[in-house]
Amino acid sequence: MSEFAKILATPGVEEICELRGRLGFMAYHGGNLEWLTDVIATHAARRSRASLYAVIQPPGMRDHLPSTRVRPEESPALAEFVEHVDVVVTIHGFGRRGLFSSLLLGGQNRSFAEHIGDALRRHLPSYDIRTDLNAIPQRLRGLHDRNPVNLPRERGVQIELPPRVRGTSPMWWDWERDDLTPHTEWLIDGLVDAANTWAGSGATAPVTLPVTEASSS
């Protein structure tokens, strides 16, 4: 049994596939692994009537699998999702010194990345929204052909979110309410805005940077 199949078969792991529009959101490192990524993807998908694929690990489980090992041939639900959507937004979490206020938009659909970037800049003006691949660390660019973000017909955009915008940084330790922090709400508003205003192009411009990373996220 493959690593991904083992994770899906682990008691308590929840795999979600909701097929709606041809634009989709993914978050397969959900649960405590990359905190709130599944929540963000779920809210954005349902509010924009987009499709959704998520894998949520239960409390106490933090099995990280590189994106290139998350394969449709090992999950009928993921295979159905990838076949259904034309373009996708994959939500990930990361944390790196010097990038705690930076959102990194990788993936092979660069037109869509610029479109999402414009929407996020409107809703999160105090954050550094990076759409220039040269400004994104190589292992966080999401360019590998086997990365699920690049499997749909028009490929997609991988968004790496720092702790601050997910409400998990020290900035929010005194946040006592049960709902999402304002920054997370504004992030979701930006994703919904981008999804609702994306017309699609039917094609993507080629990515000219060399794809040398073996995995992403």
Side-chain angles (χ1 to χ4, degrees):
M1 184 181 290
S2 71
E3 295 171 278
F4 185 42
K6 287 180 181 178
I7 288 175
L8 295 178
T10 301
V13 170
E14 183 179 6
E15 184 181 31
I16 299 171
C17 181
E18 300 173 358
L19 301 181
R20 288 182 287 265
R22 293 294 182 176
L23 186 152
F25 285 87
M26 282 197 291
Y28 43 79
H29 289 154
N32 289 332
L33 181 58
E34 293 180 0
W35 185 247
L36 281 188
T37 55
D38 56 289
V39 174
I40 292 165
T42 298
H43 279 258
R46 291 176 179 172
R47 283 180 51 189
S48 62
R49 297 297 300 167
S51 295
L52 171 70
Y53 178 82
V55 176
I56 305 172
Q57 297 184 15
M61 181 177 175
R62 295 177 59 88
D63 289 6
H64 187 277
L65 193 65
S67 292
T68 52
R69 299 181 190 173
V70 176
R71 298 169 180 164
E73 55 266 32
E74 296 161 10
S75 165
L78 178 56
E80 185 179 24
F81 175 85
V82 169
E83 177 62 27
H84 177 78
V85 300
D86 292 328
V87 67
V88 70
V89 181
T90 304
I91 305 297
H92 289 279
F94 85 109
R96 286 198 181 190
R97 188 179 300 275
L99 295 174
F100 291 137
S101 63
S102 299
L103 281 67
L104 314 179
L105 278 60
Q108 292 186 9
N109 192 321
R110 303 315 301 157
S111 296
F112 194 25
E114 293 294 341
H115 176 79
I116 296 174
D118 288 343
L120 293 180
R121 292 183 188 103
R122 291 193 296 271
H123 290 270
L124 294 168
S126 63
Y127 280 82
D128 171 27
I129 312 297
R130 299 194 179 188
T131 56
D132 180 356
L133 289 173
N134 289 300
I136 298 174
Q138 187 178 46
R139 292 185 63 83
L140 299 177
R141 292 174 183 168
L143 298 180
H144 200 291
D145 287 340
R146 291 200 303 272
N147 188 317
V149 74
N150 299 317
L151 296 181
R153 285 171 284 278
E154 296 182 27
R155 291 163 280 181
V157 178
Q158 174 174 292
I159 304 182
E160 296 280 355
L161 302 175
R164 183 177 300 172
V165 79
R166 289 180 283 137
T168 60
S169 75
M171 174 180 176
W172 301 107
W173 282 355
D174 61 350
W175 182 260
E176 297 178 351
R177 294 166 54 175
D178 293 331
D179 54 354
L180 300 174
T181 68
H183 290 198
T184 308
E185 294 281 10
W186 299 337
L187 164 67
I188 294 169
D189 288 344
L191 293 173
V192 172
D193 182 2
N196 286 339
T197 56
W198 175 247
S201 62
T204 56
V207 177
T208 56
L209 289 179
V211 181
T212 58
E213 65 265 36
S215 62
S216 178
S217 297

